[in-house]
Amino acid sequence: MKYTLAFYLRIAFQNLIVHKGRMILALLGILFAVMSLVAFGNISNGLKKQIDSEIGKFGKNLIILRSGYMRFTGRGAMPFGDSKNLKLETVQRIGESVPGIVQIAPFYDVSYPARYEEKTVTAGVVGTTEAMFQIRNLDLLMGTYFTEDDNVNGRKKAVVGYKVFENLFQQENPIGKYILVYRVPTEVIGVLKEKGTDLAGQDQDLQVYVPLTSIMRRYSNVDFIKGAYIQIQDKIPLTDMKQILQSFIRTIRNMKPEQKDDFSVFTMEDIVKTHEQGIRLVSILTVIASIVSFLIGGLGIFAIMLLSISERKLEIGIRRVVGSKKRDIILQFLTESVVVALMGGALGILVGFIITVFVSYFGNVPFSLYLENIVVSLLISTLVGILAGIYPAVQGTKYEPVAVLYG
């Protein structure tokens, strides 16, 4: 007697319906394994797209010079040491002497309260030059930028981030009005478009930009700066320029070989690597958890199939009497185990998709479907179903028809 795939599938689904409770338990392990693989594959792919997008927002071909030591965490670049040795003259010499630099924007940043009437918000106050707005792709929502003339004359003018504008003015036109930045009356001349948090961990919408000379003389009274954003020409490797800048700064400051740098030079690639390392670590843990879940699911299917075969001795005996071969018995039970595994895989994909949508919506992560993980999950589910069903299926062929029927 010759059986078709449709016959095997019909028997498999009938058995699933009859023993749905135990079959659900058997496929749960596969479901959780596939769910974690699919969900994290989608989410990590979305995070990588988000990182690529953030790099574009941060600025093109950027190298960042900071005074003191910096460390990189999953939340961005964090200060690890402090230094007051970085002077404006050093940055000016870099711009004049190092080839391949398009433009350079020195800065001094500090956290100060900004106040308008009875409303106050704590903001990052950044003293810089007008080049910063071009380098960092900071576009205006309204008003104008301050100019080089404002910087030279130390005028108290400010371009504010969107959240500062929203919190202090609540949609009232702020242009020409004065805010108190650390008790210094400062004229608002521009408002920036909404930017969000960058890869360095700074909320770009909670920033107040003022001329560099103003913050050094009138707000903070310092003779040093915190760093500079340096935009270099296309096709110049960022890693090479990093080394050139490090050597140049050490040379003009007459630093001895044994002296450690009291400044940091890094690129967006350094920050991105830290983020990607975090993603890779979670990916490894996800794969390990998935492997354990697949093993548990496989063992569950194995145990259920063994129990099923011992309960269906009579069915096996009748099938053998009417002409079924051992190969037919093996194919039937293998089909059942694979169907259970694939159902677990399909449900896992569905749940993983739902989790992806949930994280994308509430976590502001770009929605992405990582098809490779979906295909791999289904292939592994099929393989687990085959491996878990082989031994029970072979055991089913060992029952002799006469012994089963008359035993």
Side-chain angles (χ1 to χ4, degrees), residues 254-326:
N254 298 314
M255 297 179 70
K256 297 178 181 179
E258 64 271 15
Q259 284 184 276
K260 292 184 178 180
D261 293 341
D262 60 354
F263 61 91
S264 302
V265 181
F266 58 93
T267 69
M268 293 308 299
E269 291 179 356
D270 298 320
I271 300 176
V272 168
K273 283 179 183 176
T274 304
H275 283 265
E276 290 181 342
Q277 284 172 358
I279 293 174
R280 279 196 294 271
L281 177 60
V282 177
S283 179
I284 291 170
L285 295 175
T286 302
V287 170
I288 293 173
S290 296
I291 290 172
V292 173
S293 294
F294 273 123
L295 288 174
I296 293 172
L299 289 173
I301 295 173
F302 176 81
I304 294 300
M305 293 308 299
L306 272 181
L307 178 62
S308 178
I309 284 172
S310 66
E311 292 176 344
R312 294 162 66 186
K313 293 180 183 178
L314 183 60
E315 177 190 335
I316 294 171
I318 294 173
R319 292 273 305 279
R320 293 293 306 281
V321 167
V322 298
S324 294
K325 299 178 180 179
K326 290 184 178 181

Side-chain angles (χ1 to χ4, degrees), residues 69-86:
Y69 308 106
M70 301 296 293
R71 63 178 176 180
F72 301 99
T73 68
R75 297 182 179 179
M78 306 295 290
F80 190 60
D82 194 17
S83 172
K84 299 179 180 179
N85 295 330
L86 185 61

Side-chain angles (χ1 to χ4, degrees), residues 147-161:
T147 64
E148 178 61 23
D149 186 60
D150 294 325
N151 187 47
V152 170
N153 292 287
R155 295 192 178 102
K156 295 173 285 185
K157 296 187 176 183
V159 177
V160 302

Side-chain angles (χ1 to χ4, degrees), residues 166-374:
E166 195 174 43
N167 289 331
L168 294 184
F169 296 96
Q170 299 175 351
Q171 304 305 316
E172 176 187 349
N173 187 352
I175 306 302
K177 294 185 171 62
Y178 283 81
I179 60 175
L180 289 177
V181 178
Y182 191 56
R183 295 175 294 188
V184 179
T186 307
E187 181 187 2
V188 177
I189 62 170
V191 177
L192 297 173
K193 290 182 179 179
E194 200 167 359
K195 290 278 287 186
T197 302
D198 63 26
L199 286 175
Q202 293 178 327
D203 189 340
Q204 296 302 290
D205 300 321
L206 274 176
Q207 304 282 325
V208 175
Y209 294 89
V210 299
L212 179 61
T213 306
S214 301
I215 199 169
M216 293 178 70
R217 293 177 184 173
R218 301 176 183 271
Y219 294 83
S220 299
N221 191 26
V222 296
D223 63 350
F224 60 93
I225 61 173
K226 295 286 187 74
Y229 288 93
I230 305 168
Q231 187 177 46
I232 67 169
Q233 295 174 358
D234 291 335
K235 299 181 181 179
I236 296 180
L238 294 177
T239 52
D240 293 348
M241 183 58 80
K242 252 177 71 173
Q243 294 176 353
I244 291 170
L245 289 172
Q246 285 173 325
S247 299
F248 181 81
I249 294 170
R250 291 183 64 89
T251 300
I252 63 175
R253 292 172 61 180
N254 298 314
M255 297 179 70
K256 297 178 181 179
E258 64 271 15
Q259 284 184 276
K260 292 184 178 180
D261 293 341
D262 60 354
F263 61 91
S264 302
V265 181
F266 58 93
T267 69
M268 293 308 299
E269 291 179 356
D270 298 320
I271 300 176
V272 168
K273 283 179 183 176
T274 304
H275 283 265
E276 290 181 342
Q277 284 172 358
I279 293 174
R280 279 196 294 271
L281 177 60
V282 177
S283 179
I284 291 170
L285 295 175
T286 302
V287 170
I288 293 173
S290 296
I291 290 172
V292 173
S293 294
F294 273 123
L295 288 174
I296 293 172
L299 289 173
I301 295 173
F302 176 81
I304 294 300
M305 293 308 299
L306 272 181
L307 178 62
S308 178
I309 284 172
S310 66
E311 292 176 344
R312 294 162 66 186
K313 293 180 183 178
L314 183 60
E315 177 190 335
I316 294 171
I318 294 173
R319 292 273 305 279
R320 293 293 306 281
V321 167
V322 298
S324 294
K325 299 178 180 179
K326 290 184 178 181
R327 178 187 62 192
D328 299 321
I329 303 300
I330 291 174
L331 287 175
Q332 177 185 327
F333 287 104
L334 275 180
T335 300
E336 291 184 15
S337 63
V338 170
V339 165
V340 172
L342 283 177
M343 286 185 66
L347 290 173
I349 291 172
L350 177 61
V351 176
F353 177 80
I354 293 171
I355 292 174
T356 303
V357 173
F358 184 85
V359 172
S360 177
Y361 183 79
F362 291 101
N364 294 320
V365 177
F367 179 79
S368 177
L369 283 180
Y370 194 43
L371 296 179
E372 183 178 330
N373 270 18
I374 294 175

